[in-house]
Amino acid sequence: MNPISLVFLAFAMSTDAFAAAIGKGSSLHKPRLLEALRTGLIFGVIEAITPVVGWLLGQAASQYVEQWDHWIAFTLLVALGAHMVHAGLKADDEEEEKQSQHSFWILAVTAFATSIDALAVGVGLAFVDVNIWVAAAAIGLATMTMVTLGTMLGRALGSVVGKRAEIVGGVVLMLVGATILYEHLSAA
């Protein structure tokens, strides 16, 4: 795989994480650059690990992973998005202040949900002349960059849409999940 293709692959793998990061950033109370970098690092590490795991699974598990990856991602993202929408629709007396950061586990689950397609890509990379470690590092770095930018963009969106930013974030996550499902089902 040539370096240009690797760069395009890395950024293609990070687009759904970017969209999710916009939602995550919009649901926080004015996230700072350090929180955006933390979010980017969590997403980047998980996005770098999943193609390696897929690569290790190889051809034996490729049919199973390819048949279910879109359903797993869809379910996780819709569930997380619905939770965010529910939290955004709470009555004012129930409404809590926006958090200044998301928990590690919420970020990790979201990152995993947006990186399941990278698992399937990793399986495919097992049959291509590519250094999986370089590919995984490129994917992780691209994702870290895109998620950091997405979180900060979400900050700007959060101030525009006010207290209902969590609803926007939840809808974005559900749309990412629906898009992943649609792309896989329409390609079949």
Side-chain angles (χ1 to χ4, degrees):
M1 179 176 282
N2 69 49
I4 304 256
S5 297
L6 187 58
V7 169
F8 281 120
L9 172 68
F11 279 102
M13 292 285 87
S14 67
T15 55
D16 50 353
F18 174 73
I22 292 172
K24 290 296 184 190
S26 71
S27 68
L28 291 175
H29 176 70
K30 297 182 181 178
R32 299 194 184 277
L33 182 58
L34 189 58
E35 175 59 18
L37 286 168
R38 174 183 169 264
T39 303
L41 184 62
I42 292 168
F43 272 74
V45 167
I46 290 172
E47 190 87 26
I49 290 171
T50 53
V52 173
V53 170
W55 183 78
L56 292 171
L57 290 174
Q59 191 174 17
S62 67
Q63 287 182 342
Y64 177 76
V65 171
E66 288 179 67
Q67 289 176 352
W68 294 101
D69 66 341
H70 51 284
W71 286 107
I72 295 167
F74 172 74
T75 302
L76 288 171
L77 289 170
V78 166
L80 287 167
H83 175 72
M84 288 176 69
V85 168
H86 174 71
L89 290 174
K90 281 184 183 176
D92 287 342
D93 57 334
E94 296 179 41
E95 194 169 296
E96 301 170 8
E97 258 186 57
K98 280 187 176 182
Q99 306 169 26
S100 60
Q101 73 178 41
H102 291 291
S103 77
F104 169 81
W105 293 110
I106 292 292
L107 292 176
V109 168
T110 307
F112 178 72
T114 61
S115 70
I116 289 176
D117 57 341
L119 186 74
V121 166
V123 171
L125 291 177
F127 307 106
V128 178
D129 183 27
V130 65
N131 181 329
I132 190 62
W133 305 109
V134 171
I139 291 169
L141 184 61
T143 300
M144 185 181 89
T145 303
M146 296 290 284
V147 167
T148 300
L149 293 172
T151 302
M152 294 310 290
L153 180 60
R155 174 188 171 139
L157 289 176
S159 64
V160 170
V161 297
K163 67 179 185 171
R164 299 295 181 218
E166 199 159 13
I167 296 170
V168 172
V171 169
V172 167
L173 286 180
M174 291 189 290
L175 287 173
V176 170
T179 301
I180 290 170
L181 181 64
Y182 174 77
E183 287 173 354
H184 283 273
L185 293 178
S186 66

